[in-house]
Amino acid sequence: MKKPTITTICVIVATAIIITPDAWARKKKSAPKVELTQAGQQLEKQYAAQLESLKIEITKALPKLSGAKTSAVEKARGNETSANKALAEAQKNMGEIKKGQALVAHAKGKWIGGAIKGIKAAKEKLKKSKTDAEREAAEKELANWEKNKKDGEDALKERQADLDKALKHKTKYEKALKNANETLTKAKADTLQAVKNLGLKSTLTSDKLDAKLAKFVVIMEATPKGLAAFAEKGAKQKKLIDTLLSSDDLLVQMAIADGAKNGNYGQAMKILTDIQKASNKVTEGPLPKLALAVALEHATPIKQRNAVADAKAPATVDPVKRYLHFEKAFLDGELDPAFAGLSTWDYRMVVNGEEPNEILTWGRAMLNNYRPDHISTKDYRWRYVALVRSDIRYGSQDNKFDKPELQFFQNILMNGGICGRRAFIGRFTLRAFGIPVIARPQRGHAALAHWTPKGWVVCLGGGWGIGWTKGRYDRDLDFLANTQARATGKPFMQVKRAQWIGDVVGEPRAFGFKSRTKPEFWYSASLYTQKDIIETSKAKTLAAVGEDIGEANVTKEKVEITKVKMTQKDREVTVNKQGVITIPAAATTNPTKSNGKIIFMDSQLGGKQLHFSRNGGGQTFEYTVDAPKAGKYRLTAKVATPSWQQHLVIAVNGQKEAASIELPHTIGMWEDTEPVEVVLSDDKNTLTFSHKTDGYAKGFSIKDFTLTPVK
């Protein structure tokens, strides 16, 4: 059967043709098979009747549309499709030139240039060879590099010829690309204007049908059979469904927030009710939205990622406990200040983590202790997630040392990982502080995207347009457009209403221009309305950050160091009555300010702390101390470390090495080191510290040092 065109869709709207109540159920990829009791079958009929009644009522209230105007929209969309194809062809031609330039550059640089370096090194080896075997090996290596150079030169000639041939058409290709862009811009504007000419504004800006539309969408997504299967379990379950379907405001809130996961509205209602019973704070401030977000997102249980050794841990995240965790964290002021202003939809991407609640608590404590500057930074693009850039080593070589008693994210902090593990811990730290985040992979690479006050940003991957996201917004550009439209507030409701009406008339769902499903009339109207809203709001798309460290350790981007105001008290070395000397970590005589390798920062314990970064190799730091008397002292340090195999070496008054302090693996918590003995004179003493490691260098933070006299 031929798919209905825009015009025939409008006929459907005008004549109120009814689709069977469980059409949505048939469209779902894997609707569970449910055998209903006789009572359940009666309930299914009731819910199906409600769905059909709503469909008839809503359809009658929809505007009758002009065939000429809908035909104009269809024609404009056709022109836009053709313009997109023309642009793709023009981009392909220009892409061939760029590809040719890249191949020529590769031949000149890595291929021939690498061979020249290899030849030089082989000649040096040949020159230094002392035995026949060494000489033979060097000559063989030299011959290989010379052949490699010749192959590169041959490839360069071929590649340069291809490039020269393509460059002859460059002017033509550039003109074609310019024309294609201009044609597409005009085609998009024409389509948008044609949609505006339909006169849907009054329908999409009115809230008169919101309750009915939302109720229809909820029953459709849940399916009459799904609702009946839940309601037939008992009187309590039946009452929950009755309450849901009679609560207009709740239905609208749910539908705006994209509904219950997998259509499990009965379970969502149970979770919401359980949360309301468990907390007397749930009606305050943003907490009702938070509760609803938990209910919708956990309507399908989320598998909990536990420590391998913790065999008794729950298999799934407890939704009520998840809500109570974030409620307490919010009321205790532990979350980002922006948390209070988020929407229910935003909160869903905070509360949907796989981590146990106690690990969320650990995550906040760890960052507060170990890298508080990542919390205080004004750069929201890197706030909380900068730990990946500063401390999570790229590479999987140490993953074999993961400890079964540690949780997944603690092991990542300890042993690093490639893009997947780094994206995982980045999302985790953001969620821990109440920032919405989503996985945003791209071909061959894992990245993430997260909320900021200025819009969503991609971190550790390429910019918007080359990746995808989970859920209904399949391509990342569709997800981005949704976030930008939602940020406008009330205007966004026009988008939702058009989508809901599309559901009523039986259109396939298409939530973006990049959707695999071709949008029909109302869903098309929703997308062009969304586009207009975004353009009117002048939303800006943020550039990706951390692209250069997606698969590397050292960034080329300028890393701002959070400035701190140092007071005299922060740098004051004290001696108590027992002769115990306390040296604040910030009381250094060299260096006296942050330099990137050593960073001074405000401490959550009060005062300041010193952070020795993982790239601080060769860096030393010193203190000058007046000891009350000469003799032996036990030296300890209060440290927070993310990993193991790290040592702090101390030299006193120019000695080579007075002692080596093993830094305990504290998982980011504060802990005192085991004491080591040093000898001080009764005059000024210079204590020089350096870093030594048994493996890969990791960072560590120090609050203070204590020198206790040995009696």
Side-chain angles (χ1 to χ4, degrees):
M1 181 178 176
K2 186 179 178 181
K3 281 192 173 183
T5 63
I6 290 177
T7 304
T8 57
I9 287 291
C10 294
V11 174
I12 292 174
V13 173
T15 58
I17 294 175
I18 304 304
I19 298 174
T20 54
D22 62 346
W24 173 248
R26 294 200 305 271
K27 291 180 183 179
K28 293 177 77 172
K29 290 183 179 178
S30 56
K33 293 181 179 179
V34 179
E35 296 296 331
L36 298 177
T37 63
Q38 189 172 358
Q41 292 172 13
Q42 289 300 315
L43 287 170
E44 181 185 12
K45 289 179 181 178
Q46 291 176 27
Y47 299 138
Q50 287 188 53
L51 190 66
E52 184 172 336
S53 176
L54 284 164
K55 187 184 292 284
I56 294 170
E57 191 175 351
I58 293 168
T59 305
K60 286 181 179 179
L62 295 179
K64 294 182 179 180
L65 302 171
S66 161
K69 290 182 178 179
T70 55
S71 294
V73 173
E74 191 167 295
K75 181 180 178 181
R77 287 181 64 195
N79 291 339
E80 187 175 335
T81 299
S82 299
N84 268 311
K85 289 180 180 178
L87 177 61
E89 185 63 27
Q91 289 172 331
K92 181 182 176 182
N93 290 332
M94 287 301 297
E96 288 300 317
I97 291 177
K98 289 183 179 180
K99 180 181 176 182
Q101 290 171 331
L103 287 172
V104 167
H106 174 269
K108 288 180 178 178
K110 288 191 175 181
W111 198 336
I112 298 173
I116 291 172
K117 289 180 181 178
I119 290 170
K120 183 179 179 181
K123 286 181 176 179
E124 193 66 28
K125 285 182 182 179
L126 184 60
K127 184 178 178 181
K128 293 181 179 179
S129 59
K130 297 179 180 179
T131 66
D132 290 342
E134 288 177 350
R135 190 175 298 106
E136 184 179 344
E139 288 173 345
K140 186 176 180 180
E141 186 176 334
L142 178 60
N144 286 336
W145 279 118
E146 287 176 336
K147 182 181 183 303
N148 192 268
K149 180 173 178 286
K150 178 67 169 57
D151 290 342
E153 290 170 342
D154 291 342
L156 176 60
K157 288 179 182 178
E158 185 178 333
R159 293 178 181 185
Q160 188 65 56
D162 290 340
L163 176 58
D164 291 341
K165 185 178 179 181
L167 286 171
K168 290 179 181 179
H169 304 288
K170 184 180 179 183
T171 302
K172 182 176 72 173
Y173 290 163
E174 288 175 337
K175 185 177 180 180
L177 182 61
K178 181 175 179 291
N179 291 338
N181 273 309
E182 290 174 351
T183 301
L184 180 58
T185 299
K186 184 179 184 303
K188 286 181 176 180
D190 289 345
T191 307
L192 184 58
Q193 188 57 52
V195 171
K196 289 180 178 180
N197 291 343
L198 289 170
L200 301 178
K201 191 80 171 178
S202 60
T203 299
L204 299 183
T205 55
S206 172
D207 62 0
K208 289 181 180 179
L209 290 176
D210 282 2
K212 291 183 175 65
L213 286 167
K215 187 174 182 179
F216 177 90
V217 170
V218 167
I219 298 176
M220 181 196 76
E221 290 183 347
T223 74
K225 193 169 188 176
L227 291 175
F230 183 85
E232 73 172 357
K233 293 177 181 178
K236 289 183 179 179
Q237 288 83 356
K238 170 70 165 53
K239 186 177 180 181
L240 286 173
I241 299 301
D242 291 344
T243 300
L244 168 67
L245 297 181
S246 62
S247 304
D248 290 351
D249 287 345
L250 180 59
L251 288 165
V252 173
Q253 289 174 46
M254 285 181 164
I256 293 171
D258 286 351
K261 184 68 82 61
N262 297 325
N264 294 330
Y265 283 91
Q267 185 62 21
M269 281 299 292
K270 182 181 184 304
I271 294 170
L272 183 60
T273 303
D274 289 345
I275 289 173
Q276 290 166 343
K277 290 177 182 177
S279 172
N280 59 4
K281 305 281 188 182
V282 75
T283 58
E284 300 177 10
L287 297 179
K289 292 186 290 183
L290 177 65
L292 181 57
V294 172
L296 295 174
E297 195 63 24
H298 289 258
T300 296
I302 294 174
K303 186 178 180 181
Q304 184 165 288
R305 190 190 283 265
N306 303 303
V308 173
D310 192 357
K312 296 181 180 180
T316 58
V317 177
D318 184 312
V320 177
K321 290 181 179 177
R322 176 55 47 96
Y323 166 80
L324 292 173
H325 171 88
F326 276 105
E327 177 192 89
K328 184 178 187 302
F330 168 67
L331 295 175
D332 289 348
E334 296 178 3
L335 305 182
D336 190 88
F339 181 82
L342 299 176
S343 69
T344 300
W345 187 79
D346 294 326
Y347 286 136
R348 294 184 69 158
M349 290 171 283
V350 173
V351 302
N352 64 349
E354 60 190 348
E355 58 278 343
N357 293 321
E358 61 269 21
I359 296 300
L360 285 167
T361 301
W362 164 80
R364 291 192 294 273
M366 176 272 294
L367 209 58
N368 270 296
N369 294 335
Y370 179 63
R371 291 304 302 257
D373 57 324
H374 291 343
I375 298 173
S376 61
T377 178
K378 294 180 180 179
D379 187 350
Y380 257 100
R381 301 171 307 163
W382 283 109
R383 185 178 289 191
Y384 311 117
V385 73
L387 185 75
V388 176
R389 178 172 64 179
S390 65
D391 287 273
I392 309 301
R393 180 195 182 191
Y394 183 83
S396 58
Q397 57 269 50
D398 283 353
N399 295 173
K400 60 188 175 184
F401 299 120
D402 283 0
K403 294 183 177 181
E405 67 272 19
L406 294 182
Q407 208 270 347
F408 179 59
F409 300 107
Q410 294 173 326
N411 274 315
I412 297 174
L413 180 66
M414 175 185 178
N415 293 318
I418 58 174
C419 57
R421 283 174 50 124
R422 296 170 103 199
F424 267 114
I425 196 170
R427 296 202 304 272
F428 161 70
T429 51
L430 287 158
R431 285 193 299 265
F433 286 90
I435 297 295
V437 63
I438 192 168
R440 209 260 18 199
Q442 60 198 62
R443 192 172 297 280
H445 181 69
L448 62 91
H450 69 87
W451 178 95
T452 79
K454 294 182 179 180
W456 283 68
V457 64
V458 176
C459 185
L460 303 176
W464 294 105
I466 62 170
W468 56 90
T469 57
K470 289 183 178 180
R472 57 176 57 182
Y473 312 101
D474 180 43
R475 306 306 300 181
D476 63 353
L477 285 176
D478 292 339
F479 175 84
L480 174 66
N482 180 65
T483 67
Q484 291 175 331
R486 282 181 182 272
T488 66
K490 189 176 179 180
F492 176 68
M493 285 301 297
Q494 298 175 60
V495 179
K496 297 305 294 183
R497 290 177 186 124
Q499 291 173 355
W500 297 340
I501 295 171
D503 291 338
V504 170
V505 301
E507 291 182 6
R509 288 179 148 184
F511 293 104
F513 286 114
K514 300 294 182 180
S515 172
R516 297 173 187 177
T517 303
K518 183 179 179 181
E520 294 183 4
F521 180 77
W522 285 102
Y523 268 93
S524 182
S526 78
L527 295 177
Y528 282 102
T529 299
Q530 178 171 271
K531 177 179 170 61
D532 186 41
I533 289 170
I534 293 170
E535 290 178 354
T536 301
S537 71
K538 297 181 180 179
K540 292 183 179 180
T541 298
L542 300 183
V545 294
E547 287 185 77
D548 63 336
I549 57 166
E551 296 181 345
N553 278 314
V554 181
T555 180
K556 295 177 182 177
E557 295 178 10
K558 183 180 179 181
V559 178
E560 294 290 340
I561 299 174
T562 302
K563 295 180 180 179
V564 295
K565 185 178 180 181
M566 202 80 74
T567 67
Q568 186 176 350
K569 188 176 181 181
D570 292 330
R571 299 176 53 79
E572 183 180 1
V573 178
T574 59
V575 183
N576 69 11
K577 293 179 180 179
Q578 288 73 41
V580 176
I581 305 168
T582 300
I583 309 171
T588 52
T589 50
N590 184 37
T592 57
K593 60 182 180 179
S594 299
N595 59 19
K597 292 184 175 182
I598 288 178
I599 307 170
F600 299 103
M601 54 190 69
D602 291 318
S603 175
Q604 295 298 313
L605 297 180
K608 302 292 185 292
Q609 64 190 56
L610 178 151
H611 179 76
F612 193 100
S613 67
R614 67 175 183 180
N615 65 349
Q619 175 73 56
T620 61
F621 55 103
E622 293 182 351
Y623 301 90
T624 300
V625 179
D626 285 324
K629 64 178 182 178
K632 293 181 179 180
Y633 286 78
R634 287 192 300 273
L635 172 66
T636 61
K638 183 181 290 296
V639 298
T641 65
S643 194
W644 60 322
Q645 295 182 319
Q646 311 296 306
H647 300 265
L648 194 57
V649 177
I650 178 174
V652 180
N653 297 326
Q655 299 175 26
K656 272 194 172 182
E657 183 178 320
S660 178
I661 306 170
E662 182 178 353
L663 299 179
H665 179 198
T666 73
I667 325 175
M669 301 295 103
W670 288 115
E671 191 175 317
D672 289 337
T673 61
E674 290 294 320
V676 295
E677 281 195 0
V678 296
V679 178
L680 301 182
S681 67
D682 59 1
D683 199 354
K684 288 187 182 297
N685 294 271
T686 300
L687 309 183
T688 304
F689 292 91
S690 59
H691 181 217
K692 184 173 74 173
T693 176
D694 295 334
Y696 183 80
K698 308 288 176 69
F700 52 89
S701 291
I702 308 172
K703 183 65 179 77
D704 54 40
F705 296 93
T706 301
L707 289 156
T708 304
V710 177
K711 296 180 180 179

